[in-house]
Amino acid sequence: MYRESDAKAAGGEAKTAKKTDPAPHINPYDSMLARFNQAADVLKLDARSRAVLSVPEKVVQVHLPVAMDDGRTEVFEGYRVIHSTTMGPSKGGIRYSMNVDMDEVKALAAWMTFKCAVVELPYGGGKGGVKCDPTKMSIGELERLTRAYTAAMSDVFGPDLDIPAPDMGTNAGVMAWIVDEYQKINNNHYYPAVITGKPIELGGSQGREAATGRGVMTTALLGLQKLGLRPEECRAAVQGFGNVGSFAAKLLSAQGVRVVAISDHTGAFYNPDGFLINRVIQYVKANGGTLAGFNEGQKITNEDLLTMDVEILAPCALENVITAANADKIKAKMIVEGANGPVAAEADDILNKKGIFIIPDILANAGGVTVSYFEWVQNRRGHYWTESEINDRADPIMSRAFERVYQAHILHKIPMRLAAYLVAVERVSKGLHLKGKY
Ligand code: GLU
């Protein structure tokens, strides 16, 4: 359940980014376009779809003056990018991080379009962000910033228009401020379906908090099956211990996988016997949301974790952690991408040549938006499901999406990432054609 202190401590969907992005020069939008163009080539995509989907439909940039606790006014940069509304209202999270900029938000918005298409949700894709460091802000400052951002985006957001959710650095508490501010702006009409990832008490969905990590686990297990491996004989290294990484680690270990390496922005740890993830989660909760000071494993570097000899590598933190600089050193048999864009496009060929089976972000982390969709459906019906009803609906969606992508991978003899883009781009392009030309 959400507590006020969580907004600051929890670090949101993934661990809050620091300025220490290992490869800040790699433009995530270029990474997105490189994969999109490869898929378009395989599909022999028509020129119109290629042109339309290569660019966002709408970009909004705002400057948000916020009164800080010390009396100063700080002006924050805010963004919302709508990549596509072809398949339905745009859907996608809001990120609070110092790495937020237009190119990052544009890439993340396009990934949402393709992610929603892979799992066949009736949504387009969008993303938002504010360049800020939420770990350095008070609860009051975060609330004022969030309300200012919501007011600035009041004509962008809407239950049938654009539906935000949590992402890195934001969480259910931030969503609660957004739904409240939106209510105030709209003459006190309550529109819970304007945003997902809300606290349960305000119309959030059971299972939403764990959903992204659960999808990582579900798709990883399906990947292991295809590789002929049993979970009990596998080791995993999980990078990032925010919402996605912690639930992925917990659920993988509940399936018998030995989680031998974990990390967050404060450090990385190794334990050959496998960590007791529930204990780690308790530690992090009691420790202001980070692994700092954790002493139940051997201290290693982030690079050690990424290049560890394991069956499963689950990058669940930042973009561009695997690049041409370290791809050759990756030893994992499978990479399951809990984060958005953890592998830069320049690393794809290297990893493919090494025969690493990759479950790409737009498939692996689609469990979150899938349960966001259920939250939106429940809000609109005013009728709520139990956690097991949610999981019983979400799991088959993830499994079917995995199988669709896997079949495209086999049929076209292309890597899983390209197969996922292929499935997604084909679906959105069909939607574009069905809607006509003008
Ligand atoms: N931020 C999450 C993502 O990247 C969730 C988006 C949503 O639920 O709308 O998929």
Side-chain angles (χ1 to χ4, degrees), residues 35-46 50 418 421-422 425:
R35 277 84 171 247
F36 168 76
N37 282 324
Q38 281 171 27
D41 291 346
V42 176
L43 278 172
K44 299 191 175 46
L45 192 68
D46 63 289
R50 200 190 275 257
L418 190 51
Y421 273 75
L422 195 108
V425 171

Side-chain angles (χ1 to χ4, degrees), residues 13 91-95 108 112 115-116 123 127 163-168 196-197 208 212 340 365-366 368-373:
E13 284 259 307
K91 185 84 193 80
I94 297 168
R95 172 172 291 205
L108 290 161
M112 285 309 304
K115 192 184 301 187
C116 292
Y123 289 140
K127 201 81 171 200
I163 308 139
D167 196 78
M168 187 186 289
T196 61
R208 175 62 186 87
T212 313
N340 291 308
N365 70 36
V369 71
T370 299
V371 177
S372 273
Y373 164 61

Side-chain angles (χ1 to χ4, degrees), residues 376-392:
W376 181 79
V377 168
Q378 291 170 94
N379 292 154
R380 306 187 75 145
R381 293 175 69 188
H383 173 80
Y384 288 82
W385 294 321
T386 63
E387 188 170 353
S388 63
E389 285 173 317
I390 293 288
N391 292 340
D392 288 351

Side-chain angles (χ1 to χ4, degrees), residues 17-24 99 265 318:
K18 294 278 150 196
K19 256 191 162 166
T20 51
D21 184 337
N99 290 332
H265 65 276
L318 300 168

Side-chain angles (χ1 to χ4, degrees), residues 56-298:
E57 276 178 23
K58 175 153 106 178
V59 296
V60 184
Q61 182 174 3
V62 291
H63 289 100
L64 307 166
V66 174
M68 304 304 276
D69 292 348
D70 63 5
R72 279 177 314 115
T73 292
E74 203 166 310
V75 180
F76 292 89
E77 269 170 46
Y79 302 88
R80 186 79 187 163
V81 173
I82 310 301
H83 174 259
S84 173
T85 55
T86 297
M87 311 305 283
S90 45
K91 185 84 193 80
I94 297 168
R95 172 172 291 205
Y96 286 177
S97 148
M98 288 308 289
N99 290 332
V100 164
D101 62 22
M102 186 57 97
D103 282 327
E104 188 191 57
V105 182
K106 272 169 62 184
L108 290 161
W111 284 327
M112 285 309 304
T113 301
F114 300 137
K115 192 184 301 187
C116 292
V118 166
V119 281
E120 300 193 339
L121 302 181
Y123 289 140
K127 201 81 171 200
V130 178
K131 190 181 182 77
C132 66
D133 182 350
T135 64
K136 298 218 168 80
M137 294 170 71
S138 71
I139 287 291
E141 288 168 345
L142 277 172
E143 178 170 352
R144 291 192 291 279
L145 171 65
T146 302
R147 289 185 185 279
Y149 179 76
T150 309
M153 298 295 170
S154 61
D155 55 351
V156 178
F157 297 165
D160 291 310
L161 204 54
D162 177 46
I163 308 139
D167 196 78
M168 187 186 289
T170 60
N171 60 13
V174 174
M175 302 304 109
W177 294 326
I178 294 177
V179 81
D180 182 61
E181 189 64 24
Y182 193 77
Q183 178 176 5
K184 288 192 174 127
I185 289 163
N186 286 285
N187 296 320
N188 216 33
H189 288 274
Y190 190 48
Y191 296 109
V194 72
I195 193 149
T196 61
K198 298 178 293 294
I200 302 280
E201 296 84 344
L202 294 178
S205 179
Q206 298 291 342
R208 175 62 186 87
E209 212 194 349
T212 313
R214 187 176 175 89
V216 169
M217 177 272 287
T218 307
T219 53
L221 290 194
L222 292 167
L224 292 181
Q225 256 177 37
K226 301 291 183 192
L227 297 178
L229 294 167
R230 283 180 300 116
E232 316 81 62
E233 61 192 12
C234 292
R235 296 154 302 168
V238 180
Q239 186 197 35
F241 212 76
N243 171 284
V244 182
S246 63
F247 276 106
K250 176 178 160 153
L251 297 169
L252 280 170
S253 91
Q255 295 293 327
V257 172
R258 224 168 351 123
V259 179
V260 295
I262 53 172
S263 73
D264 71 3
H265 65 276
T266 67
F269 301 88
Y270 172 65
N271 178 350
D273 299 327
F275 288 99
L276 296 171
I277 300 299
N278 282 331
R279 273 173 63 125
V280 185
I281 290 175
Q282 270 172 15
Y283 176 86
V284 166
K285 268 197 183 141
N287 192 46
T290 77
L291 285 166
F294 188 67
N295 61 8
E296 287 187 26
Q298 188 185 322

